[in-house]
Amino acid sequence: MLLPCKLQKFDMGTLNPLWFFVKKSMTVALFGITISDRFATVYSLTGTSMSPTFTTSSPGFPGYLKGDIVLVEKFCLEKYKFSRGDVIAFKSPSDHKREFVKRLIALPGDWMQISDTSDILKIPEGHCWVEGDNKEFSLDSRHFGPIPLGLVQGRVTHIIWPPQRISKVERKVAMERVRST
């Protein structure tokens, strides 16, 4: 004789809050990744190469909150819409795991005088010249030459942390050293 099979109803009511939390968390994470990858991201700055534009020590804050945190917009990457004097974020030409933030001094095709020398250099197509504002402590194009535009990650537009330093990043152009063609 066959015994009837008894179906048990699984109550999702106990899992509803957890399922709701997981769905919302995944949605927020995917949205955040998309924003960070396509439109803008934030960088926590370390080092003194961009001093006084950016600071790297705010006493009283823990870990990554000690220095300036900046907003990096990526819309400029679409057609490499940069201007001399912009502050840009880029991957190191010698170690792609490292990222730098420096000021854009010269664009492709520009003739420029290398600082502290009388040497004049033409920036090759598809490259740019970057330097830190604090030249004594900056690893920049004076050390590794013009950088490929493909390494640029975006343009630094605003300081967003600490609260007392929230501001737009100023463009500073070194016109006396650069002649565009």
Side-chain angles (χ1 to χ4, degrees), residues 36-53:
S36 174
D37 187 48
R38 300 236 181 236
F39 306 112
T41 191
V42 293
Y43 278 50
S44 176
L45 302 181
T46 59
T48 58
S49 70
M50 285 300 291
S51 179
T53 303

Side-chain angles (χ1 to χ4, degrees), residues 42-46 55-58 61-70 161-162:
V42 293
Y43 278 50
S44 176
L45 302 181
T46 59
T55 60
T56 56
S57 62
S58 296
F61 289 111
Y64 64 89
L65 295 178
K66 285 187 177 178
D68 286 347
I69 296 178
V70 296
W161 183 267

Side-chain angles (χ1 to χ4, degrees), residues 53 73 76 81-88 103-105 107 133 155-157 168-175:
T53 303
E73 65 94 3
C76 59
K81 296 177 185 175
F82 305 110
S83 299
R84 286 172 210 84
D86 284 346
V87 176
I88 61 170
R103 191 166 303 276
L104 184 64
I105 304 297
L107 295 167
D133 289 354
R155 176 180 27 231
V156 178
T157 60
K168 185 174 182 182
V169 175
E170 297 291 322
R171 179 182 294 155
K172 296 178 187 173
V173 182
M175 288 306 294

Side-chain angles (χ1 to χ4, degrees), residues 13 34 41 45 49 71 81 98 105 114 136 142 164 167 173-175 179:
T34 301
T41 191
L45 302 181
S49 70
L71 179 67
K81 296 177 185 175
R98 293 183 67 193
I105 304 297
I114 299 173
E136 284 184 42
R142 293 171 299 138
Q164 68 272 18
S167 62
V173 182
M175 288 306 294
R179 188 180 64 193

